Each structure stands twice: as structure tokens, then as C-alpha cells.
């Protein structure tokens, strides 16, 4: 028998060297717990995994603590370009948008692509026009801006870095548990519903100081997001370029399907061995049809949480002792 469950992430990264503020840590813990709880509510009412992950990611996009929707990082030009993907493991239906600058909730636009278009992935202006045609209200690009992300871009420009997993070398004290300059703030969710259907969703502002036009793994099915009832639902966060080259999310599914690995073995093989072998860092949240979950990461921490229907939400940031 399956157990309905939702698992989420708000990005992986390094522990902050700056003085860590307990209050800020509490903000992250509370935000993650509230998102898990909303997913549990949907699932316990018999809602679909697809609805649960879409709503969880929408809430994470709305939360400026995470690099998706409001609070997204800046490109080299000081703009925002957002990517998102959602996939239904039951039908393999998928919707995604990339490089959008005026859509408040890219995950809802991705869901609209899945539901109302014959396509899987729409980019830039075309994606925005499609969203408007579906009744989305466009927002100004600076809707996504926050002072913290602007300061982060200035540090990155000063260091001439595209902030993947690089050391910032900067002294900053935003007080967050994971170092804002050495973390991936992509958000994502995976779920298994009461009917045993799987779904995955991922949304991101990408990398600080990224080239304009750069697209990461998050909106690419099989790279940063994948769901298939036959194996697993996966949402990734980390060095996008490495996750793309490995087709990381799909590789976890393939290791389970073709090599007979368990969820835990397959996700750890990809995150701890294959991603690191190519110099990448990050993590995934993954769930199989029995409701088993795996949340491996190869960085010092990952904002994460999960909740089985009927149980309390569990939230963690650092590696457990
Ligand atoms: N994987 C994302 C990207 O490459 C970044 C992240 O996980 O924060 O755009």
C-alpha cells in the first residue's frame, strides 16, 4: 500500500560563514513547514500529486526567502529570468517555461502549458504571451527584485563569478542558515498521492550573474524535473549545467527501471557520485510509488521538508548528525 507524501526543497548549499541568525533560521523552518502542510492538506483530501506539487511550488515562489518567483536572483544585466517545469507521472504530461521575466508564478504558467497547449516548453516572450492569453496578469520585471539579491549580484560582479557553488569570499551578514552566495535557491516539490500517482515541479530564478538567455536544468524535463509512475518523481537543485549534462532526474529513474536500484540507491548514486564527479553540487528530492522518499544532497545543507498524510511535517536544513 502506498503512503501519500509530499517532499519539498528550497535549494542546497553551503553553511553560512556569516553570523547565523536564529530568527532567520526560524523563518526558513516555518516557511518550509507551512508549504509541506499545504501539500499534506491537498493530498489528505484526495487531491492529486500534480495539484499538491504545483501549489507547494507556487507558495515557495511567493516566499522571498527562496530563489524563485519573488526573490529570484539577478542576471549579469541586473534583470530576472525565471524557469519552471511541472510533470505528471501518471500521463507523462509535462509543461515548462524558460527565460520568463514578467510572470509572477512561473509554475502556474508551466501548468497552463501542460494543460492548455500542445507543447511542453515555451520560452521568453512567447511563453509570456501564452500566459497572458490564459489570463495571467503580467508583472514588472522588478517585481522579483529584493535588496538581498541585488547585493548578491554586486558581490558576484565584483568577484567576476557566476554563482554556482563558488566561494563568495564576501563578508556579508544576511543571517540565513545557508550562505546566500554559495547556495542554490531553486525550489521544488515531489509527491505521491492516495492513488499512487506521482508528480514533480521545479522553479528557479537560476544563477546569480548568469548570462542573459542562460537556461538551467530546472525547466528541462529529465534534467531538473521528472515524474513517471513507473519509477520515481524527482526535483533537483544545484549546478544546472551538470544536472543537464547528466540528465540527472531521468538518470535516477533509469537506474531504478533498468538497473533495479532502489530509490535511495539510485538518487544517492546520481547526487553523491555522478554529480560530484563532474564537479557539480546540489541535491534532489525524490519519491517512488510506494511513498518512499529520498532527499540526498552533496553540499553542507539543503532547505528541505516532507510530510506523510496524517503525520507531522518534518523540516531540516543541515546534514543530520
Ligand atoms: N539548478 C538551478 C539552475 O541551474 C539553480 C539552483 O538549483 O538553484 O538554474
Amino acid at each position: 500500500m502506498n503512503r501519500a507524501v509530499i517532499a519539498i526543497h528550497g535549494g542546497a548549499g553551503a553553511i553560512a560563514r556569516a553570523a547565523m541568525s536564529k530568527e532567520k533560521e526560524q523563518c526558513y523552518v516555518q516557511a518550509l513547514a507551512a508549504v509541506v502542510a499545504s501539500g499534506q492538506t491537498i493530498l489528505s483530501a484526495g487531491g492529486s500529486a500534480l495539484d499538491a506539487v504545483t501549489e507547494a511550488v507556487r507558495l515557495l515562489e511567493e516566499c522571498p526567502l527562496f530563489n524563485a518567483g519573488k526573490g529570484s536572483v539577478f542576471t549579469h544585466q541586473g534583470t530576472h529570468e525565471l524557469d519552471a517545469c511541472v510533470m505528471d507521472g501518471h500521463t507523462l504530461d509535462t509543461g515548462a517555461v524558460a527565460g520568463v521575466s514578467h510572470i509572477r508564478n512561473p509554475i502556474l504558467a508551466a501548468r497552463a502549458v501542460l494543460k492548455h497547449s500542445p507543447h511542453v516548453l515555451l520560452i521568453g516572450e512567447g511563453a509570456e504571451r501564452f500566459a497572458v492569453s490564459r489570463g495571467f496578469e503580467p508583472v514588472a520585471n522588478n517585481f522579483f527584485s529584493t535588496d538581498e539579491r541585488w547585493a548578491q549580484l554586486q558581490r558576484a560582479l565584483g568577484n567576476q563569478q557566476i554563482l554556482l557553488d563558488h566561494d563568495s569570499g564576501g563578508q556579508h551578514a544576511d543571517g540565513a542558515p545557508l550562505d546566500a552566495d554559495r547556495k542554490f535557491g531553486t525550489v521544488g516539490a515531489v509527491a505521491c498521492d492516495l492513488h499512487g500517482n506521482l508528480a514533480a515541479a521545479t522553479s528557479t530564478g537560476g544563477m546569480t550573474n548568469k548570462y542573459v538567455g542562460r537556461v538551467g536544468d530546472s525547466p528541462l524535463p529529465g534534467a531538473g524535473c521528472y515524474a513517471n509512475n513507473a519509477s520515481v518523481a524527482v526535483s533537483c537543485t544545484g549546478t544546472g549545467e551538470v544536472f543537464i549534462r547528466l540528465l540527472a532526474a531521468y538518470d535516477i529513474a533509469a537506474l531504478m527501471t533498468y538497473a533495479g536500484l532502489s530509490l535511495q540507491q539510485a538518487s544517492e548514486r546520481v547526487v553523491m557520485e555522478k554529480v560530484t564527479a563532474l564537479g557539480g553540487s546540489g541535491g534532489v528530492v525524490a519519491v517512488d510509488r510506494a511513498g518512499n522518499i529520498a532527499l540526498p544532497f552533496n553540499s553542507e545543507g539543503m532547505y528541505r521538508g516532507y510530510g506523510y498524510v496524517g503525520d507531522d511535517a518534518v523540516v531540516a536544513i543541515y546534514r543530520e548528525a
Side-chain angles (χ1 to χ4, degrees):
M1 201 186 100
N2 85 293
R3 295 189 66 206
V5 63
I6 181 157
I8 64 168
H9 69 78
I15 308 290
R17 287 161 298 173
M20 215 183 293
S21 124
K22 276 282 157 205
E23 283 145 37
K24 197 88 184 246
E25 185 174 326
Q26 264 318 103
C27 289
Y28 279 92
V29 168
Q30 279 166 8
L32 291 166
V35 173
V36 171
S38 84
Q40 288 172 297
T41 303
I42 292 170
L43 294 174
S44 67
S48 69
L50 189 62
D51 282 347
V53 297
T54 306
E55 176 60 6
V57 167
R58 186 192 71 80
L59 290 170
L60 289 161
E61 285 175 342
E62 288 291 302
C63 180
L65 293 173
F66 303 105
N67 167 24
K70 182 140 185 86
S72 283
V73 297
F74 285 89
T75 66
H76 183 69
Q77 307 283 328
T79 55
H80 303 282
E81 294 183 350
L82 283 50
D83 305 329
C85 179
V86 61
M87 184 159 180
D88 181 354
H90 179 47
T91 57
L92 302 189
D93 286 343
T94 308
V97 293
V100 295
S101 303
H102 302 284
I103 297 175
R104 174 174 178 147
N105 292 113
I107 199 65
L108 297 184
R111 182 73 187 264
V113 171
L114 179 155
K115 201 160 170 220
H116 300 291
S117 89
H119 303 301
V120 165
L121 172 60
L122 294 178
I123 63 164
E125 226 183 282
E128 291 178 352
R129 276 205 217 127
F130 168 77
V132 169
S133 80
R134 294 299 320 168
F136 287 65
E137 193 73 36
V139 294
N141 194 232
N142 66 9
F143 165 83
F144 303 106
S145 305
T146 57
D147 293 344
E148 286 80 9
R149 298 295 186 203
W150 182 251
Q152 211 176 323
L153 174 65
Q154 300 318 308
R155 290 192 293 274
L157 288 169
N159 297 335
Q160 296 190 339
Q161 288 175 319
I162 297 168
L163 289 175
L164 305 168
D165 53 347
H166 304 127
D167 284 20
S168 70
Q171 295 300 312
H172 55 282
D174 88 335
L178 299 187
D179 186 337
D181 287 355
R182 295 192 299 151
K183 84 174 247 293
F184 306 96
T186 291
V187 304
V190 292
C192 175
D193 64 28
L194 289 170
H195 312 287
N197 288 320
L198 304 182
T202 308
S203 179
T204 190
M207 303 289 189
T208 297
N209 200 20
K210 67 183 180 181
Y211 290 12
V212 166
R214 178 264 187 190
V215 173
D217 60 313
S218 309
L220 303 181
C225 186
Y226 186 72
N228 187 335
N229 276 7
S231 49
V232 66
V234 184
S235 173
C236 305
T237 176
T239 324
E241 281 68 11
V242 170
F243 282 74
I244 293 172
R245 287 157 66 203
L246 288 171
L247 279 180
Y250 179 73
D251 198 34
I252 292 173
L255 286 167
M256 292 172 69
T257 303
Y258 303 121
L261 267 59
S262 70
L263 172 79
Q264 197 70 37
Q265 288 168 334
S267 50
E268 290 206 355
R269 173 80 58 86
V270 170
V271 171
M272 308 309 241
E273 295 175 27
K274 297 178 97 169
V275 169
T276 45
L278 288 188
S281 77
V284 305
V285 292
V287 63
D288 68 16
R289 252 196 125 168
N292 298 307
I293 55 165
L295 298 84
F297 53 94
N298 60 35
S299 47
E300 290 166 57
M302 181 167 81
Y303 296 115
R304 62 197 187 280
Y306 66 88
Y308 284 91
V309 164
D311 288 356
D312 288 339
V314 179
V315 167
I317 298 174
Y318 313 111
R319 201 165 283 290
E320 306 304 338

